[in-house]
Amino acid sequence: MSLRKQTPSDFLKQIIGRPVVVKLNSGVDYRGVLACLDGYMNIALEQTEEYVNGQLKNKYGDAFIRGNNGNSSSLYYCSL
Amino acid sequence: IKQSLVSFSLFLFLFTELVDKCIGSRIHIVMKSDKEIVGTLLGFDDFVNMVLEDVTEFEITPEGRRITKLDQILLNGNNITMLVPGGEGPEV
């Protein structure tokens, strides 16, 4: 548990390639391996699963999540 | 307009200085939606996107649901309404 000062961009560099959960404000979770992302928080995931309450859809291969999600979205990356 | 830009920059400076003092300690974040986050502040950026650790997420519903996420999260600053340094979160 490192408590050094860590900015969001450092954090993002650190978690690329790791399994993450992207949680949107709409209540939908996307779990997958973080392939890449950009300054607008557009995200590319691999082996993605979509969770709405229970498990709804399975997506394999690449998933692209748009950063600006229309009506205010809040993205959390939980590095699993 | 220049005057208000200067005032705003000053406000932003004072605000980020205050948030900077919270790094390493617990912070309670209230979102625009019915959601609150409590965690240890690791860092933030100019847009007040925040990196937190040892996080508990509270959804303020009729029953006050709670989700605990360990490890680290990046919280998008778009939806943050209020920051409470040292805050415990809502009473559940």
Side-chain angles (χ1 to χ4, degrees):
Chain A
M1 201 160 75
S2 56
L3 281 182
R4 61 175 181 84
K5 184 169 180 173
Q6 186 178 28
T7 61
S9 52
D10 297 332
F11 177 72
L12 292 173
K13 284 175 197 163
Q14 199 178 316
I15 63 166
I16 282 184
R18 289 168 64 177
V20 295
V21 179
V22 179
K23 188 163 189 169
L24 302 185
N25 218 30
S26 54
V28 182
D29 288 0
Y30 292 91
R31 293 170 190 256
V33 177
L34 186 62
C36 57
L37 59 99
D38 66 10
Y40 297 102
M41 293 213 190
N42 296 316
I43 306 155
L45 292 176
E46 293 171 348
Q47 295 158 26
T48 314
E49 293 169 355
E50 183 181 49
Y51 289 81
V52 185
N53 306 321
Q55 189 170 336
L56 246 194
K57 293 175 191 170
N58 273 326
K59 291 177 290 189
Y60 295 96
D62 296 336
F64 175 80
I65 301 174
R66 181 158 160 73
N68 186 7
N69 212 258
N71 9 307
S72 44
S73 79
S74 163
L75 309 177
Y76 313 59
Y77 303 77
C78 321
S79 40
L80 300 171
Chain B
I1 290 182
K2 261 187 199 170
Q3 174 83 357
S4 57
L5 278 176
V6 168
S7 315
F8 179 73
S9 304
L10 179 63
F11 167 76
L12 199 57
F13 171 73
L14 295 170
F15 175 74
T16 52
E17 284 295 299
L18 182 57
V19 180
D20 194 67
K21 290 190 198 299
C22 296
I23 290 179
S25 45
R26 298 296 279 175
I27 189 167
H28 168 208
I29 299 166
V30 180
M31 314 294 291
K32 285 182 195 169
S33 58
D34 296 328
K35 191 172 287 186
E36 301 180 19
I37 305 281
V38 179
T40 303
L41 180 61
L42 295 183
F44 66 100
D45 62 12
D46 286 343
F47 305 100
V48 201
N49 298 315
M50 312 189 80
V51 183
L52 301 162
E53 191 171 52
D54 198 7
V55 172
T56 308
E57 174 184 21
F58 296 86
E59 300 205 22
I60 310 301
T61 62
E63 338 124 347
R65 190 156 62 102
R66 177 197 309 211
I67 308 160
T68 306
K69 298 175 292 198
L70 276 160
D71 220 342
Q72 300 185 352
I73 73 166
L74 171 63
L75 180 59
N76 191 323
N78 257 336
N79 292 296
I80 294 176
T81 292
M82 181 168 73
L83 306 175
V84 185
E88 307 280 327
E91 290 171 29
V92 174

